[in-house]
Amino acid sequence: MLSCQKHLFTLSPDICYLNCAYMSPLLKSVEEAGIQGIQKRRTPTEIKPEDFFVHSNQLKKLFAQLIHADNSQRIAIQPAVSYGMAVVAKNLDCKAGQNIVVAAEQFPSNVYPWRALAKEKGLKIKTIAPNNESKTRGKEWNQHLLEAIDKDTVMVALPNVHWADGTRFDLLAIRQRSREVGAILVIDGTQSVGAYPFDIQAIQADALVCAGYKWLMSGYTSCLSYYGEYFDGKKPLEEVWLARKGSEDFSRLVEYEDEYEGFAARYDMGGRSNPFLVPMMIAGVSQVIDWRPTEIQAYCKNLTLPLFTELEKLGYIFEQEDYRVAHLFGIRLPQNIAMEKVKEVFSKHRISVSFRGSAIRISPHLYNDEKDIEILINALKEADK
């Protein structure tokens, strides 16, 4: 099992940072890669034509390895989840009267594109909410999502892990049901890929979109996406010259080429070869691969075992183990504890978590240790007084 990796980060010892779902602290290696990129950019003669392609292709291969994709050309480099989902919205084959199934309170980037599309095309959005009072909340939520997928469903758009409270959705069952009715499956992997195992060949999602600044340990304005066969040959959001056949030959760029590079290259953003962000993403994704998501899960699970014991004693409400992940989970307050009191105590002890809806979102990583969990437990006890 992995040991604590705090030495690989620059974190203040005065802050109990349990908030990777908000934004990961920078690995020292990622920070250094960005600095080196900036330093190289000082002198344009150091940047060769091949630099516009080699590093981008390396990054795509790394992400393909992480999600177990057998073709790195199906990976696109983009700036944000909103961009990746806009590609989906632009290319969804749909007609009036069909529906899109989503989970309640998904992150907005996986909702706004479908609302706009529904208004334009006459679609219906079926939003499936959980029963927060149920002791089998996650199981029931998954079942209701399956039941919502019907003959009129054109797309199911979900996260792997709910961003607000860490509820895990059974993507294998959802994929099977969506295939039965001919609907595509689109996944926002931002809060899971990099910390929780994901196998695109097993799940066979049609699209997977992942922001990089959380569990992929990378910089902001960085996103990696996978597009399956459904999106082959469809329309990009922008006409990127780097995505055209033969663009490696700078001497022939004005011999305009209509044909794109294969598979998902057409969905790359303009400026995909950013000399600062791409090296940072390479460093971040490389480290995640080296750690392995299965080991990250095991570390976080072992680390938080004492926390869940105390949460149960204090009357906090949390998801059943079968429907939660170890790196991100929400806890809801018992009636005798006020949210404002919790916020006050956490601020006093410099505990960084996120408050999302009715849940306190806790998201540990390898830089956390037993001391961090002890500080959190003591703060929760203090809020109960």
Side-chain angles (χ1 to χ4, degrees):
M1 183 179 289
L2 287 168
S3 59
C4 182
Q5 304 288 295
K6 189 173 290 189
H7 61 285
L8 299 180
F9 297 83
T10 303
L11 276 168
S12 170
D14 298 328
I15 298 175
C16 178
Y17 195 75
L18 291 160
N19 210 4
C20 195
Y22 170 66
M23 189 181 301
S24 71
L26 280 183
L27 283 154
K28 294 176 182 177
S29 59
V30 172
E31 182 178 349
E32 180 59 30
I35 291 170
Q36 288 181 4
I38 291 171
Q39 291 174 337
K40 186 174 183 179
R41 181 62 181 83
R42 291 172 180 168
T43 310
T45 54
E46 290 188 15
I47 300 176
K48 308 299 182 184
E50 56 266 26
D51 291 334
F52 286 78
F53 302 91
V54 171
H55 303 301
S56 297
N57 290 337
Q58 180 186 357
L59 176 57
K60 292 184 179 190
K61 288 177 181 177
L62 286 168
F63 188 66
Q65 180 183 343
L66 179 63
I67 65 170
H68 302 282
D70 59 4
N71 183 358
S72 64
Q73 293 183 68
R74 292 203 171 277
I75 309 303
I77 299 173
Q78 299 170 336
V81 171
S82 57
Y83 188 107
M85 294 304 184
V87 167
V88 174
K90 183 170 185 174
N91 291 293
L92 182 66
D93 296 324
C94 58
K95 59 185 179 181
Q98 292 183 305
N99 66 69
I100 297 170
V101 174
V102 302
E105 297 185 353
Q106 289 183 177
F107 193 79
S109 296
N110 195 14
V111 175
Y112 285 139
W114 322 137
R115 289 177 58 162
L117 186 65
K119 185 176 181 180
E120 177 188 351
K121 300 289 188 178
L123 306 177
K124 178 183 178 182
I125 297 178
K126 297 172 75 171
T127 304
I128 312 306
N131 178 3
N132 289 336
E133 305 302 319
S134 174
K135 293 183 178 180
T136 57
R137 174 181 175 277
K139 181 179 180 181
E140 292 175 18
W141 199 0
N142 272 268
Q143 184 59 40
H144 292 158
L145 280 164
L146 288 172
E147 293 168 355
I149 303 168
D150 60 24
K151 62 181 178 59
D152 294 321
T153 302
V154 67
M155 179 174 68
V156 181
L158 291 172
N160 190 175
V161 172
H162 199 282
W163 76 291
D165 60 27
T167 303
R168 184 180 65 82
F169 296 112
D170 186 349
L171 296 184
L172 289 174
I174 290 166
R175 169 75 283 187
Q176 180 179 342
R177 177 58 183 150
S178 67
R179 183 176 286 110
E180 288 172 0
V181 301
I184 69 167
L185 176 62
V186 175
I187 302 299
D188 178 359
T190 298
Q191 293 290 16
S192 56
V193 174
Y196 186 75
F198 189 95
D199 188 334
I200 195 71
Q201 294 190 64
I203 296 169
Q204 296 184 3
D206 296 285
L208 168 72
V209 183
C210 304
Y213 67 98
K214 299 178 189 287
W215 307 98
L216 295 178
M217 302 281 129
S218 303
Y220 208 68
T221 319
S222 58
C223 179
L224 293 166
S225 299
Y226 167 94
Y227 293 97
E229 291 181 8
Y230 181 90
F231 293 94
D232 286 353
K234 295 195 175 183
K235 295 180 180 179
L237 286 190
E238 51 181 321
E239 299 297 341
V240 179
W241 67 268
L242 284 165
R244 304 290 176 149
K245 287 279 189 182
S247 55
E248 296 91 344
D249 187 352
F250 282 21
S251 68
R252 301 179 64 185
L253 289 181
V254 294
E255 297 177 19
Y256 304 118
E257 174 60 66
D258 290 330
E259 188 176 357
Y260 298 98
E261 289 288 350
F263 304 102
R266 66 184 63 206
Y267 303 127
D268 283 335
M269 66 179 180
R272 75 176 186 198
S273 52
N274 186 302
F276 322 127
L277 291 178
V278 169
M280 292 174 74
M281 291 197 82
I282 288 172
V285 176
S286 295
Q287 182 61 79
V288 168
I289 290 171
D290 187 52
W291 283 330
R292 292 185 297 171
T294 52
E295 293 298 311
I296 295 171
Q297 284 294 298
Y299 180 87
C300 292
K301 182 177 181 179
N302 185 64
L303 182 68
T304 56
L305 283 175
L307 172 63
F308 283 102
T309 299
E310 293 299 328
L311 288 172
E312 193 164 9
K313 290 178 183 177
L314 292 168
Y316 281 82
I317 302 166
F318 50 88
E319 189 56 71
Q320 291 178 305
E321 188 172 352
D322 287 348
Y323 289 94
R324 70 170 188 258
V325 289
H327 70 282
L328 190 168
F329 48 87
I331 61 174
R332 290 178 168 82
L333 304 180
Q335 291 184 352
N336 63 303
I337 300 177
M339 185 66 82
E340 288 306 312
K341 179 68 179 296
V342 174
K343 290 180 179 180
E344 178 185 324
V345 172
F346 279 23
S347 177
K348 171 184 168 183
H349 294 286
R350 303 195 71 185
I351 298 171
S352 178
V353 296
S354 290
F355 297 90
R356 297 290 183 263
S358 62
I360 302 171
R361 188 182 70 188
I362 300 168
S363 49
H365 205 275
L366 298 177
Y367 45 74
N368 293 117
D369 56 20
E370 291 80 2
K371 181 181 177 183
D372 293 320
I373 301 303
E374 183 179 347
I375 291 170
L376 178 60
I377 289 173
N378 289 336
L380 291 169
K381 288 179 178 179
E382 184 177 335
D384 189 35
K385 294 178 181 177

